[in-house]
Amino acid sequence: MSTTILGIESSCDDTSAAVISDGILRSNVIAGQKVHEQFGGVVPELASRAHQQNILPVVSEALRQAGVTASDLDAVAFTRGPGLLGSLLVGTSFAKGMAIGLDIPTIDVNHLHGHVLSHFIKETEDQEVPEFPYICLLISGGNSQIILVRSPFDMEILGSTIDDAAGEAFDKCAKVMGLPYPGGPHIDRLATEGDADAFKFAKPHIPGFDYSFSGLKTSFLYTVRDNLKVEPDFIEKRKADLAASLQKTIIDILLDKLAKAVKETKVKAVAIGGGVSANSGVRKAIEVFCDNRRIKAWIPKRAFTTDNAAMVAIAGYFKFLKGEFCSLDMPPYSKVEV
Ligand code: KG4
């Protein structure tokens, strides 16, 4: 008998639904929200409303593409947090309503847990997945973490950012350059044409495996501000060099702590996840990092780096196999699990 799970993701500004049958991905539908572009960042109130408009068509399309009907589902998994509360409420309430209607269980998924498990999204039967233990570098708009993954449910956070996340460093510096939100992909594109050694930005000196990106952000801001005083078209003329140097510094900071963690834990594989793992410089640097150490690099497909329901469905599938369900009175949480 097959097991079919519907995953729903609505933690920020992407409405997504995916279907996984017996561990194999059957569909992954994502509707982005253009409404935020004009504001230079996600507007929570508008995000919730857009989720409300998108969720039914997105779920229907995911079922259609998977070739299943609602009555084929065994459980509905949904992102319970962390994220924007109004956005999470849409997905959570929809999942619960659907599960009640179908008389099937709901499964709550931690969004970050989903990102870490994105390497287990199989599109074919014979697709390889990581062996445990491995280190996951989770780099997104809200988090930068080094996680020791011992099993799908046994994860230890070795280090986290103490201020900004890597994605925030990309986005905030991009904003200084007048680039649209989110700035990460724009920096990525510009960096390919620039000299990565043109500018030197501050790197943190903090002990352990924790990250810090706020010093880099400040030094980037000062570099731009000081140069603008003498050269009004500084940003326009040097944007590729600024982007390349910024990207290189972020990668150096990420790899510095990762190297320490790999050395200490002696793991034989490193995986990356989260929106920033879409960055071409980061992807290349991780390949080289792992090649040099003769360990395996797990680089996710770009579609599974940013917010997607496939990762929610696979995390839900693992929980289903363990019989871990959630009660209908469990509320979503914005930051810390309640
Ligand atoms: O994982 P994600 O979609 O959202 C969170 O859960 O936080 O990550 C979004 C972040 C944004 O900061 C965005 O700028 C960054 O991922 N990002 C990138 C790239 N694509 C997305 N950063 C650098 N290069 C990219 N290609």
Side-chain angles (χ1 to χ4, degrees), residues 11-12 14 111-112 115 139-143 166-168 170-171 181-188 247 274-280 302 305-307:
S11 64
C12 189
D14 291 310
H111 180 79
L112 302 175
H115 270 309
I139 36 180
S140 69
N143 291 276
E168 273 175 292
F170 272 108
D171 296 342
Y181 178 88
H186 297 280
I187 299 285
D188 192 353
Q247 185 166 296
V276 178
S277 65
N279 182 273
S280 25
R302 279 203 165 79
T305 57
T306 47
D307 295 343

